[in-house]
Amino acid sequence: MAKLIDGKVISAAVKERVKQGVAKLNEQGISVGLAVIIVGEDPASKVYVANKKKACEALGIVSEEYALPENTTEDELLSLIKELNAKKSINGILCQLPLPRHLDEKLIINSILPEKDVDAFHPSNVGRIMIGDYDFVPCTPAGIMEMLAYENIEVEGKTCVVIGRSNIVGKPMGMLLLHKNGTVTICHSKTRNLKDICLGADILVAAVGRPKFVTEDMVKEGAVVIDVGIHRTENGLCGDVDFENVSKKASAITPVPGGVGPMTIAMLMQNTLTAAKRQNKIG
Ligand code: NAP
């Protein structure tokens, strides 16, 4: 039976570290601030934003929430971002995605100052990840790297397979594993012989967006399996991995819920602290 990689325990450790970092800045008279913008009434987005606010409060980060109506124009949103870009007390700006259809997501993300882009979606931050010289990493892959480090799972020399090539999970995940000297394959919907490729993985990351997609016959004995997926089913939450059967074969595995999910907000808090330090030329 695989060892459980417990996202609740590891995220609590990250949050404690951030809390101490924030307190240290506060002692020097520096506050840490995050602005969260939400446009419209998407219920899932509202829950995410509420959770981010709660996390900020617990760690001493000042959070400002900007809840804008669904019919907000691009100009209105851009002018709010411009204001927040210039606001000294705000170190990080996050615009909750997805945005309503009439708003150009790319244009909005690109208008956030890269040094305040704590989601690491701005092309400048994406490029910096590519060359291995970065301050921020998208929160989900950053959280996964934190989990591997916490569990002393060595990446160097390992065969790493990532299923999924999204800009927020799959691609940055592949780059981070590469920077740690893993040998990385990124798979997607056009990949041939997916099962054979997965069977070669020492570390397998599933970010497919399909419930229980990774089955036991795709996993090598003793592999480390990281499940990014989250799906609401009749029987509760499940991931992209068939946990029940894969956990009998893997050496370590993240559960859903309680795995990668809790890491994401913790890493957002970490990125916000990093932003505050950089903007105040500390560390
Ligand atoms: P996404 O943008 O939908 O990307 C899914 C990727 O999976 C795509 O690259 C797609 O390939 C690939 N794919 C789809 N079907 C496939 C197949 N049959 N074989 C191989 N590859 C296939 O999703 P995402 O945003 O990366 O998220 C992935 C999952 O993680 C979702 O369940 C999401 O809810 C979850 N998630 C969780 C967290 C968290 O905090 N735990 C954070 C973010 C996302 P193509 O590129 O060829 O289409």
Side-chain angles (χ1 to χ4, degrees):
M1 193 71 184
K3 178 186 192 310
L4 267 195
I5 304 178
D6 190 336
K8 287 190 208 146
V9 169
I10 306 171
S11 64
V14 172
K15 284 183 185 165
E16 185 51 39
R17 194 174 73 203
V18 174
K19 192 176 175 180
Q20 287 174 17
V22 172
K24 239 176 164 172
L25 289 189
N26 289 166
E27 280 165 20
Q28 299 170 58
I30 300 164
S31 70
V32 180
L34 175 68
V36 180
I37 304 169
I38 176 168
V39 187
E41 298 293 325
D42 181 63
S45 293
K46 280 185 159 182
V47 172
Y48 294 141
V49 167
N51 288 342
K52 285 165 188 174
K53 195 172 167 189
K54 221 159 75 186
C56 283
E57 276 165 14
L59 306 188
I61 296 175
V62 180
S63 74
E64 291 184 6
E65 187 185 327
Y66 295 85
L68 307 181
E70 180 86 20
N71 62 358
T72 300
T73 65
E74 218 157 68
D75 281 349
E76 285 166 339
L77 184 52
L78 287 170
S79 99
L80 170 63
I81 292 173
K82 194 174 170 197
E83 194 185 301
L84 294 170
N85 278 341
K87 193 168 177 177
K88 263 241 167 291
S89 60
I90 290 299
N91 306 108
I93 303 169
L94 181 155
C95 191
Q96 187 66 46
L97 302 179
L99 288 169
R101 281 184 175 194
H102 66 282
L103 298 172
D104 180 346
E105 227 164 73
K106 214 153 96 181
L107 181 74
I108 300 302
I109 295 302
N110 291 5
S111 73
I112 296 174
L113 267 187
E115 52 267 43
K116 293 194 177 185
D117 166 43
V118 284
D119 259 340
F121 293 165
H122 190 286
S124 159
N125 287 321
V126 173
R128 289 186 62 189
I129 293 166
M130 191 80 156
I131 58 174
D133 169 27
Y134 47 82
D135 289 323
F136 311 126
V137 178
C139 300
T140 302
I144 292 169
M145 294 312 285
E146 193 72 38
M147 291 176 123
L148 295 176
Y150 186 95
E151 296 292 342
N152 292 316
I153 294 167
E154 185 61 66
V155 176
E156 184 158 321
K158 299 274 175 66
T159 299
C160 306
V161 174
V162 180
I163 318 176
R165 58 172 163 179
S166 70
N167 288 331
I168 62 167
V169 187
K171 282 184 205 158
M173 187 72 248
M175 289 312 302
L176 295 185
L177 291 166
L178 184 62
H179 290 320
K180 287 282 175 201
N181 296 324
T183 302
V184 180
T185 304
I186 301 180
C187 302
H188 46 80
S189 66
K190 307 290 183 292
T191 298
R192 291 182 192 161
N193 304 323
L194 181 69
K195 181 180 157 190
D196 289 343
I197 296 168
C198 291
L199 272 170
D202 300 312
I203 298 174
L204 179 62
V205 181
V208 199
R210 290 174 179 232
K212 301 191 183 186
F213 179 84
V214 175
T215 46
E216 185 191 3
D217 58 336
M218 296 166 76
V219 176
K220 180 165 83 171
E221 193 77 47
V224 172
V225 179
I226 307 290
D227 189 351
V228 183
I230 308 177
H231 309 279
R232 209 168 286 281
T233 71
E234 281 175 1
N235 305 318
L237 290 181
C238 80
D240 286 348
V241 175
D242 175 9
F243 179 87
E244 195 185 337
N245 295 308
V246 170
S247 60
K248 291 175 190 154
K249 226 169 164 189
S251 61
I253 188 167
T254 60
V256 177
V260 173
M263 296 303 296
T264 302
I265 286 190
M267 300 318 290
L268 172 68
M269 301 294 112
Q270 166 84 64
N271 280 350
T272 305
L273 172 62
T274 303
K277 284 186 177 171
R278 294 289 178 274
Q279 285 156 37
N280 287 283
K281 309 208 171 346
I282 296 170

